[in-house]
Amino acid sequence: MGLAGHEVLAAVLQVRAGSLQVMLWERAREPHARRWSLPGGGLGDHEDVEASIRRQLAEKVDVRQLTHVEQLAVFSAPGRVPGPRVVATAFLGLVPSDTDPVVPSDTAWHPVDALPATAFDHEAICRRARHRLASKLSYTNLGFALAPPEFTISALRKLYSAALGYQVSATNLQRVLSRRGLLEPTGAVAPVGPSGGRPAALFRFASREMRVTDPFAVLRPPSSRSLGT
Amino acid sequence: MGLAGHEVLAAVLQVRAGSLQVMLWERAREPHARRWSLPGGGLGDHEDVEASIRRQLAEKVDVRQLTHVEQLAVFSAPGRVPGPRVVATAFLGLVPSDTDPVVPSDTAWHPVDALPATAFDHEAICRRARHRLASKLSYTNLGFALAPPEFTISALRKLYSAALGYQVSATNLQRVLSRRGLLEPTGAVAPVGPSGGRPAALFRFASREMRVTDPFAVLRPPSSRSLGT
DNA sequence: TCAAAAGTGTTATTGATACACCCATGT
DNA sequence: ACATGGGTGTATCAATAACACTTTTGA
């Protein structure tokens, strides 16, 4: 059984100021000093990889602000970091847009499509995280992890547009999510803006656990209609 | 950086005799003697996890018969195997149905919905592999990895039905795959069976590289039509 | 009364399922 | 001829994109 260093890394994503951003810290020491790096670190002996990444992120960001964590992939190229071989398990983490975690002074948020110079293979991990997020927004209820507990439809539209990288229609977004039973009105309305206009109704996600909502894109099992009676 | 044993494991799936089966070997020694286990082993110092699983599978099955290999997930619970901690990177492997790999005497194929007593967390890995395969058959061209180079529509129907676990219609399967440009006729026809009937036309997959064919189930980007002119 | 923002109704389109029908070949 | 599958045409259904229209409020 090969012995190898094992680290866990997370691309923590949040929609900030209208764009999808990732949390990075600036390396002070070699290797790759002054380059930006994903948070993470070594795997402890008595924790699994998910517990480990949650523990390590707790040093950067309040755990309660992490609304979703999932494995992305293993990165294991022998030369991915200088020196002895280190295998990395990469994660995607999500933080809702209404929080502004207090981060250490070496840590900052960067728009995912304008990354600074990054360390090691961390840019590839960011790309993977972005892609996973965009995919899951389409076929799961993962939007809850980016959104505050309550939000207006136009706020939600901005979140989805930023995360997907293209504009989505508020009208159709509401209808798709409502038909699937993901969205429910709270009954309250948001305060109105400086320039008037109708106050927006507030909504929440019906569930804050990730659930697949579109399991069979095609090749669905036979409908119950043709089986019944 | 935590040091940990690292192993790679693969659930190699094939449609055999009309059912989806997984390759397992029977453990001779403790721990978990007489239980069935996924092929794999330790990660070497100079290979990444994918090279490693391909190398280790080569001992069980001719590499050229492996039409697809992809990462599933990391399994890392501290107690997943007795003794010192071992982290496992699990893979899905696929073998086309027209091959019958020569396997060692301790190794055999088992239908995935009637598994024998399995070792460690290997049953969970098999479940994960099954689920991944079924999902990807719906939104990628992954069928090529289960199918022979040429096949009739009804043979393909049997493959998809076995892998998905429910009957699919030959008519609609052909149309869905053709519309997406995945399937192309070879021009040849298959030899006719003992009881007559029209000879079936032969088809092949246009590409034998995995490609996503249904990238946006919903929340598609705006169509080119509304952007043009 | 007007402007701004929110939300609804309606149509068109796309892509899938279900199913009837026609075709080609061996016996 | 006819039985045995293979393949095609077509009706129907479901979900979504596009867009015009109505509603609600503040200035």
Side-chain angles (χ1 to χ4, degrees), chain A residues 185-207:
Chain A
T186 67
V189 295
V192 71
S195 53
R198 174 174 172 178
L202 289 173
F203 291 80
R204 70 170 80 89
F205 276 93
S207 162

Side-chain angles (χ1 to χ4, degrees), chain A residues 55-223:
Chain A
R55 173 178 63 76
Q56 310 212 33
L57 287 178
E59 300 161 10
K60 302 274 183 184
V61 47
D62 186 336
V63 197
R64 287 162 301 184
Q65 298 174 327
L66 268 179
T67 38
H68 180 73
V69 171
E70 74 175 49
Q71 271 190 39
L72 282 175
V74 170
F75 290 75
S76 62
R80 59 173 290 276
V81 300
R85 153 70 148 281
V86 178
V87 173
T89 300
F91 283 82
L92 163 67
L94 297 175
V95 174
S97 65
D98 61 330
T99 65
D100 186 12
V102 180
V103 295
S105 60
D106 62 355
T107 302
W109 295 88
H110 296 270
V112 289
D113 39 36
L115 290 181
T118 49
F120 314 124
D121 51 2
H122 294 193
E123 187 172 345
I125 297 176
C126 287
R127 269 200 305 275
R128 193 74 158 252
R130 252 181 112 170
H131 184 256
R132 176 74 65 90
L133 173 61
S135 301
K136 288 218 164 173
L137 284 178
S138 280
Y139 69 90
T140 72
N141 63 342
L142 195 53
F144 79 82
L146 295 175
E150 302 193 340
F151 45 84
T152 65
I153 293 299
S154 67
L156 191 65
R157 190 194 73 81
K158 290 196 183 76
L159 291 179
Y160 273 74
S161 297
L164 292 172
Y166 53 81
Q167 296 300 312
V168 301
S169 136
T171 301
N172 294 332
L173 181 64
Q174 177 182 9
R175 270 209 278 248
V176 168
L177 298 184
S178 295
R179 175 172 25 232
R180 297 182 170 185
L182 305 189
L183 224 51
E184 55 187 34
T186 67
V189 295
V192 71
S195 53
R198 174 174 172 178
L202 289 173
F203 291 80
R204 70 170 80 89
F205 276 93
S207 162
R208 309 200 114 243
E209 293 280 296
M210 194 181 76
R211 213 172 67 215
V212 173
T213 59
D214 196 12
F216 300 94
V218 289
L219 303 177
R220 299 181 247 285
S223 71

Side-chain angles (χ1 to χ4, degrees), chain B residues 20-178:
Chain B
L20 186 65
Q21 307 205 2
V22 60
M23 197 178 80
L24 298 171
W25 61 280
E26 191 177 21
R27 299 180 64 82
R29 283 180 280 178
E30 295 297 341
H32 286 200
R34 314 298 301 164
R35 298 177 85 101
W36 292 83
S37 184
L38 294 171
L43 175 64
D45 285 341
H46 303 294
E47 59 186 5
D48 67 15
V49 286
E50 180 164 337
S52 182
I53 194 63
R54 285 185 182 276
R55 172 178 63 76
Q56 312 215 30
L57 286 178
E59 300 162 10
K60 302 274 185 186
V61 48
D62 186 339
V63 197
R64 287 162 304 184
Q65 298 174 327
L66 267 178
T67 38
H68 180 75
V69 172
E70 74 174 53
Q71 273 190 40
L72 283 174
V74 171
F75 289 77
S76 62
R80 61 173 287 277
V81 299
R85 152 70 149 277
V86 179
V87 173
T89 301
F91 283 81
L92 163 66
L94 297 176
V95 174
S97 66
D98 62 329
T99 65
D100 187 13
V102 180
V103 295
S105 62
D106 62 354
T107 301
W109 295 89
H110 296 270
V112 290
D113 39 35
L115 290 181
T118 50
F120 315 127
D121 51 3
H122 293 192
E123 186 172 346
I125 297 175
C126 287
R127 268 201 305 275
R128 194 74 157 251
R130 252 181 111 170
H131 183 256
R132 177 73 65 88
L133 172 62
S135 301
K136 289 218 163 173
L137 284 178
S138 280
Y139 69 90
T140 71
N141 63 342
L142 195 51
F144 79 82
L146 295 175
E150 303 194 338
F151 45 83
T152 65
I153 294 299
S154 66
L156 192 64
R157 190 195 73 80
K158 291 196 183 79
L159 291 179
Y160 273 74
S161 298
L164 292 171
Y166 53 81
Q167 295 301 313
V168 300
S169 137
T171 300
N172 295 331
L173 181 63
Q174 176 182 8
R175 268 210 279 249
V176 168
L177 297 183
S178 296

